[in-house]
C-alpha cells in the first residue's frame, strides 16, 4: 500500500459477541485496516460514527431496535460499508444502498480479503479526489515502440485483454499496447469504467444495450461474466432506470 494512503479506520457492528470477535480477528490480519471499535447495536454505532472519523463499517443486518439497513439508510454521509449477515435475501437491498460487498456468515478469510480489497480501492480513489489528484483529466499517453500517443479515455469504447497486451477500441481505430489489463484499469476512473469480464473493460458511457449475458457497444457484442452481471446492473443500470 502506498505510504501516502492512510489506514482505513473501521467499526464492527454486530449484536453477537462471537461475530464481533471473529471480524476483529480477520481485520487484524490486514495491514491497511485499523479497528477503531466494536458495537453491539446500531444505536451504539450511530454515536460512534458521528463522533469519530470512520472509513469502513462491517455491519450486521438483523439487530435489535434498529436494523443494519435502517441504520445505514439514515446516515447522511455513510462510510464505506460491508454487510455481514447469515441471510442472503437482503443482498439486493444492500446493493441499492451502494454497499461495497455482502458477506454471508460464516465468513471465510478469502471472502473477507476480497471485500476489504474492494473497499480499499474505493477508499484510495476517495483520498486522491480529496487531494485533487487528476483523476478527471481526460487524457492519457500510451506507448508504442519509441512513440507516445495521446488518447482521450472519454473516447475509449472498451478495452480488450490479450495476455500481456491490451487493445484499446475506439469508434474509428484501435491501439494495441504492451500493458496489462490490471495496470490500465488502475489508470482509469472507476466511475466510468467497469470490468464486465476477465477479458473486457468497458466505458459505461458507451453502452447501447444489455441483453441477457451480452452487452452491446457500437454494434459490437461483448460477453458479461455471470459473476459481474448483477453488480453491473446495480451500479450502472438500476441507478438510471426510468421504467420498470
Amino acid at each position: 500500500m502506498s505510504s501516502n494512503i492512510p489506514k482505513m479506520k473501521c467499526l464492527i457492528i454486530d449484536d453477537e459477541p462471537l461475530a464481533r470477535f471473529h471480524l476483529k480477528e480477520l481485520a487484524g490480519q490486514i495491514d491497511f485496516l485499523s479497528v477503531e471499535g466494536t458495537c453491539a447495536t446500531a444505536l451504539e454505532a450511530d454515536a460512534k460514527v458521528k463522533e469519530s472519523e470512520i472509513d469502513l463499517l462491517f455491519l450486521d443486518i438483523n439487530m435489535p431496535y434498529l436494523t443494519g439497513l435502517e441504520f445505514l439508510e439514515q446516515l447522511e454521509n455513510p462510510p464505506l460499508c460491508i454487510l455481514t449477515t447469515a441471510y442472503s435475501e437482503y443482498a439486493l437491498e444492500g446493493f441499492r444502498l451502494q454497499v461495497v460487498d455482502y458477506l454471508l456468515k460464516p465468513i471465510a478469510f478469502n471472502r473477507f480479503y476480497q471485500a476489504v480489497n474492494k473497499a480499499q480501492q474505493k477508499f484510495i480513489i476517495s483520498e486522491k479526489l480529496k487531494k485533487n489528484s487528476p483523476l478527471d483529466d481526460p487524457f492519457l499517453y500510451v506507448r508504442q515502440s519509441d512513440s507516445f500517443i495521446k488518447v482521450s479515455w472519454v473516447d475509449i469504447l472498451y478495452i480488450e485483454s490479450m495476455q500481456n497486451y491490451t487493445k484499446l477500441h475506439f469508434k474509428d481505430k484501435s491501439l494495441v499496447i504492451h500493458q496489462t489489463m490490471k495496470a490500465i484499469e488502475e489508470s482509469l476512473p472507476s466511475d466510468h469504467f467497469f470490468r464486465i469480464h476477465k477479458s473486457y473493460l468497458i466505458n459505461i458511457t458507451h453502452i447501447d444495450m444489455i441483453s441477457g449475458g451480452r452487452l452491446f457497444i457500437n454494434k459490437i457484442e461483448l460477453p458479461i461474466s455471470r459473476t459481474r452481471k448483477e453488480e453491473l446492473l446495480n451500479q450502472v443500470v438500476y441507478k438510471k432506470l426510468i421504467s420498470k
Side-chain angles (χ1 to χ4, degrees), residues 22-59:
H22 181 55
L23 283 166
K24 191 173 182 180
E25 195 174 50
L26 292 176
Q29 305 304 310
I30 310 297
D31 62 0
F32 57 79
L33 295 181
S34 172
V35 178
E36 299 297 300
T38 64
C39 300
T41 68
L43 294 173
E44 184 186 344
D46 192 45
K48 187 82 174 175
V49 169
K50 286 172 181 173
E51 71 187 24
S52 309
E53 287 188 15
I54 300 296
D55 303 309
L56 176 64
L57 301 175
F58 293 101
L59 181 62

Side-chain angles (χ1 to χ4, degrees), residues 156-161 167-170 181 193-226 228-229 232:
I156 298 173
L157 301 181
Y158 65 96
I159 300 166
E160 182 180 2
S161 175
K167 191 173 189 177
L168 310 183
H169 293 267
F170 301 85
M181 178 72 94
F193 286 83
F194 190 92
R195 188 79 165 262
I196 60 167
H197 187 277
K198 65 180 181 180
S199 300
Y200 295 102
L201 177 70
I202 57 116
N203 187 336
I204 64 174
T205 59
H206 294 293
I207 296 172
D208 294 320
M209 184 174 72
I210 298 169
S211 177
R214 300 168 299 161
L215 179 146
F216 294 84
I217 292 180
N218 198 35
K219 297 181 181 178
I220 297 165
E221 180 181 330
L222 301 173
I224 309 171
S225 71
R226 284 183 296 176
R228 301 297 286 153
K229 184 181 176 183
L232 174 69

Side-chain angles (χ1 to χ4, degrees), residues 14-16 40-43 60-68 70:
D14 200 303
D15 61 333
E16 298 175 8
T41 68
L43 294 173
D60 186 25
I61 293 177
N62 287 328
M63 291 185 290
Y65 309 116
L66 192 68
T67 71
E70 289 167 343

Side-chain angles (χ1 to χ4, degrees), residues 108-125:
F109 180 77
N110 66 319
R111 274 294 290 123
F112 180 86
Y113 187 64
Q114 288 173 4
V116 297
N117 270 292
K118 284 167 68 176
Q120 192 205 24
Q121 291 306 310
K122 290 178 180 289
F123 179 66
I124 288 171
I125 290 167

